[in-house]
Amino acid sequence: MVALAVIALARKYKDFNLKNAVFIGVLFSIIIHGLKVSIRYFFYERTGWYLIDRFVYGSSLVMLVAVGTGIIWIYVVKKKHLKF
């Protein structure tokens, strides 16, 4: 879903750049993994180190997908391989 969001925004806005992809990655990381960590804290009573570990691991995956998709999409569009 993160990759689809990056592609949809890049197709809609012609001035989409890497800063936008990083912002989307941070936003989705906070929303997705922030909610997951709070659920694990309040309902499963996990330790703080476990919560930090899960948040950092999940957020790094989301950032990798968002930035990777953004780089690939920007490169392909700039090289005029795709016309949108």
Side-chain angles (χ1 to χ4, degrees):
M1 294 309 292
V2 175
L4 291 176
V6 170
I7 291 171
L9 288 172
R11 288 179 70 185
K12 186 172 183 178
Y13 300 105
K14 299 300 180 195
D15 59 345
F16 187 84
N17 57 22
L18 193 57
K19 290 179 187 178
N20 300 113
V22 170
F23 180 75
I24 291 169
V26 170
L27 185 68
F28 277 121
S29 294
I30 291 171
I31 291 171
I32 295 168
H33 296 288
L35 290 173
K36 285 174 68 175
V37 165
S38 64
I39 289 170
R40 287 181 179 157
Y41 177 75
F42 289 118
F43 294 114
Y44 299 120
E45 299 176 3
R46 298 290 186 173
T47 62
W49 289 112
Y50 176 81
L51 298 175
I52 291 170
D53 175 57
R54 295 289 90 194
F55 182 79
V56 170
Y57 175 70
S59 296
S60 63
L61 290 176
V62 169
M63 289 298 294
L64 180 70
V65 168
V67 172
T69 305
I71 289 171
I72 291 170
W73 189 262
I74 291 168
Y75 174 76
V76 168
V77 169
K78 296 248 188 229
K79 291 293 182 177
K80 308 249 186 229
H81 295 293
L82 294 175
K83 295 179 183 176
F84 290 103

